[in-house]
Amino acid sequence: MMKDQLQRFLFEDFQIRGEIANADSSFSEITANHNYTEEVSNLMGELLIATTLLTAMLKFEGKITVQLQGDGPVKMAVINANQNLVLRGTASVDGDTKGLSFEQLVGKGHLMISIAPENGERYQGIVALDHKSLSACLENYFKQSEQLPTRIILHANSKDKMQCAGLLLQTLPAKDADIEKHENNFQHVCALAHTLKAQEIYDLEHDELLFRLYHQEEVRLFDEQAITYQCSCSTERCLSSLASIQPEEILEILKERGAIEMHCEYCATDYRFEINDLQVLLVDTHNQQH
Ligand SMILES: [Zn+2]
């Protein structure tokens, strides 16, 4: 059964929060129509789960973008998400990716996390892609930006079926002054999480999985949130971006090519507009000029 859910949890006795997510159908949809190799698909799956887990950084309504840019065959890979866990993403690939590791796929480059609240200031954080895995790069991001210690586990499988899942553990500011005890608790919780096999995170229900790991601790599991894949492109959006082009220029292209073609890099949808589809746009602009 495919699962697309994120669940947050809290250790009642430690200042530690957690999140667990599975996004199997979103993973299928985000990689559909792209002809990615297994290696690139898995990278997209991990990035999809990572972005989902990081939406907690959005304190209010807005968008978060996690992007990899490097000099490997995967020039760019990006996932956008909003606070309601609606996601889309794409990768730009040039060259052979068969059998390559994460480091070989992305090469030297950067990991960028951008946060754009609907009301408020944009924020962007950048860290070098200099670790063996995406999760290690993200953990390094939290370390470098002097945020709370964070552990991230990511898994994706696109070989036999589409499955991706992950876990995030993060310390909260310690209430008491016993920093050492706090750190020990965090190490303990993380060590247990690392005993999980990928298959267990793919298959187990979240409550079952947390019980298996932390039955000796008091864990509060919050309501699940659905993860949805949806591209934001549409005919209306294409038309509104065409509205910024001079009508004369539009007519010129139509005369030359018979239609205006647009392509969405995210979902690989092709849009085609002939003169009849653009009439409104041409008339509107025409009227404004008089
Ligand atoms: Zn699209």
Side-chain angles (χ1 to χ4, degrees):
M1 206 186 77
M2 285 191 153
K3 294 188 279 192
D4 281 69
Q5 279 167 356
L6 171 95
Q7 253 180 310
R8 301 186 201 281
F9 57 92
L10 193 69
F11 291 89
E12 298 281 14
D13 302 325
F14 310 143
Q15 294 298 305
I16 299 170
R17 70 171 197 95
E19 291 177 60
I20 180 162
N22 295 72
D24 301 348
S25 22
S26 305
F27 183 28
S28 284
E29 291 179 275
I30 227 159
T31 50
N33 310 324
H34 282 285
N35 292 320
Y36 296 141
T37 57
E38 188 189 332
E39 290 77 5
V40 176
S41 283
N42 289 348
L43 175 65
M44 288 304 281
E46 289 196 7
L47 194 57
L48 166 68
I49 283 293
T51 311
T52 308
L53 295 170
L54 297 181
T55 52
M57 290 169 80
L58 285 169
K59 302 283 181 248
F60 306 99
E61 292 192 356
K63 285 198 188 105
I64 178 164
T65 300
V66 182
Q67 185 167 339
L68 308 176
Q69 258 177 333
D71 62 3
V74 177
K75 304 280 164 228
M76 190 274 301
V78 63
I79 303 281
N80 303 150
N82 67 14
Q83 75 287 348
N84 298 322
L85 302 180
V86 178
L87 300 104
R88 66 172 189 166
T90 189
S92 146
V93 185
D94 183 15
D96 194 8
T97 55
K98 276 258 178 284
L100 298 192
S101 67
F102 170 77
E103 280 176 300
Q104 293 166 328
L105 285 173
V106 296
K108 286 200 173 60
H110 295 94
L111 164 79
M112 271 177 290
I113 298 179
S114 320
I115 291 169
E118 254 161 49
N119 303 301
E121 235 171 277
R122 280 169 167 264
Y123 161 85
Q124 190 173 66
I126 297 180
V127 71
L129 285 171
D130 54 4
H131 286 71
K132 279 190 163 41
S133 63
L134 177 60
S135 53
C137 290
L138 286 162
E139 287 171 0
N140 186 40
Y141 168 84
F142 280 97
K143 208 169 171 181
Q144 299 232 330
S145 53
E146 286 176 34
Q147 299 196 41
L148 299 161
T150 305
R151 199 66 67 86
I152 295 172
I153 295 174
L154 303 169
H155 291 292
N157 166 31
S158 58
K159 197 174 182 184
D160 24 24
K161 52 181 169 179
M162 302 301 283
Q163 289 176 308
C164 69
L167 201 88
L168 176 146
L169 293 162
Q170 187 172 57
T171 62
L172 298 169
K175 269 183 196 158
D176 46 36
D178 198 345
I179 300 295
E180 200 187 323
K181 196 173 142 206
H182 189 48
E183 278 171 7
N184 286 342
N185 288 339
F186 188 59
Q187 291 309 327
H188 164 69
V189 160
C190 291
L192 286 174
H194 280 287
T195 64
L196 279 177
K197 294 191 178 74
Q199 205 58 48
E200 291 176 300
I201 315 188
Y202 293 146
D203 294 341
L204 291 176
E205 294 298 328
H206 295 166
D207 53 353
E208 208 182 329
L209 187 143
L210 290 177
F211 181 77
R212 196 172 285 195
L213 286 180
Y214 304 122
H215 54 90
Q216 284 177 326
E217 318 301 341
E218 193 113 2
V219 179
R220 193 186 343 158
L221 185 59
F222 295 96
D223 287 344
E224 59 218 20
Q225 293 171 266
I227 300 169
T228 327
Y229 165 80
Q230 192 180 68
C231 192
S232 52
C233 73
S234 66
T235 302
E236 292 69 34
R237 283 198 173 210
C238 289
L239 287 174
S240 78
S241 74
L242 288 174
S244 62
I245 303 175
Q246 292 296 321
E248 295 77 31
E249 230 175 293
I250 290 180
L251 288 167
E252 190 90 350
I253 302 172
L254 288 172
K255 211 172 126 191
E256 227 169 80
R257 300 181 210 165
I260 292 185
E261 285 174 346
M262 294 173 88
H263 175 76
C264 177
E265 295 292 337
Y266 281 89
C267 64
T269 301
D270 288 312
Y271 293 91
R272 186 183 157 89
F273 302 100
E274 294 181 13
I275 190 146
N276 286 340
D277 309 314
L278 299 167
Q279 221 43 267
V280 182
L281 208 77
L282 297 168
V283 170
D284 272 6
T285 327
H286 189 71
N287 285 345
Q288 277 168 20
Q289 285 178 336
H290 288 274

